[in-house]
Coordinates of all heavy atoms in Angstrom, one line a residue:
Q37 N 115.5 96.9 91.7 CA 114.6 97.4 92.7 C 113.4 96.4 92.6 O 113.0 96.0 91.5 CB 114.1 98.8 92.4 CG 115.2 99.8 92.2 CD 115.7 100.3 93.5 OE1 115.0 100.4 94.5 NE2 117.0 100.7 93.5
L96 N 109.6 91.6 84.9 CA 110.9 92.3 84.7 C 110.7 93.6 83.9 O 110.1 93.6 82.8 CB 111.9 91.4 84.0 CG 113.3 92.0 83.7 CD1 114.0 92.3 85.1 CD2 114.1 91.0 82.9
T101 N 119.1 103.1 79.4 CA 119.5 104.5 79.8 C 119.8 105.4 78.6 O 119.6 106.6 78.7 CB 120.6 104.5 80.8 OG1 121.7 103.7 80.3 CG2 120.2 103.9 82.2
S143 N 94.0 90.6 86.2 CA 93.6 89.5 85.4 C 93.5 88.2 86.3 O 93.9 88.2 87.4 CB 94.7 89.3 84.3 OG 96.0 89.2 84.9
R162 N 76.0 88.6 99.1 CA 75.6 87.9 100.3 C 76.1 88.7 101.6 O 75.4 88.7 102.6 CB 76.3 86.5 100.4 CG 75.7 85.5 99.4 CD 76.0 84.1 99.8 NE 77.5 83.8 99.8 CZ 78.2 83.5 98.7 NH1 77.6 83.4 97.5 NH2 79.5 83.2 98.8
A179 N 81.4 89.0 85.3 CA 81.2 89.7 86.6 C 80.1 90.7 86.5 O 79.2 90.8 87.4 CB 82.5 90.4 87.0
L203 N 83.1 101.7 68.8 CA 82.4 102.5 69.7 C 83.0 103.9 69.6 O 84.2 104.1 69.8 CB 82.6 102.0 71.1 CG 81.8 102.5 72.3 CD1 80.3 102.4 72.0 CD2 82.2 101.8 73.6
M205 N 83.3 108.1 70.4 CA 83.3 108.8 71.6 C 81.9 109.4 72.0 O 81.5 109.4 73.2 CB 84.3 110.0 71.5 CG 85.7 109.6 71.7 SD 85.9 108.8 73.3 CE 87.6 108.4 73.3
A288 N 97.3 112.3 88.7 CA 98.5 112.5 89.5 C 99.5 111.3 89.3 O 100.7 111.6 89.3 CB 98.1 112.7 90.9
P293 N 107.3 108.6 87.2 CA 107.8 107.6 86.3 C 107.5 106.2 86.7 O 107.1 106.0 87.8 CB 109.3 107.9 86.3 CG 109.5 108.5 87.7 CD 108.3 109.3 88.0
D302 N 100.1 116.4 94.7 CA 99.7 116.5 93.3 C 98.2 116.3 93.3 O 97.4 117.0 92.6 CB 100.4 115.5 92.5 CG 101.9 115.8 92.3 OD1 102.2 117.0 92.3 OD2 102.6 114.8 92.1
N304 N 95.9 116.7 95.6 CA 95.2 117.9 96.1 C 95.1 119.1 95.2 O 94.1 119.7 95.0 CB 95.8 118.3 97.5 CG 95.5 117.2 98.6 OD1 94.4 116.6 98.5 ND2 96.4 117.1 99.5

Side-chain angles (χ1 to χ4, degrees):
Q37 305 279 330
L96 181 63
T101 52
S143 53
R162 289 198 297 278
L203 192 56
M205 282 302 181
D302 293 330
N304 290 328

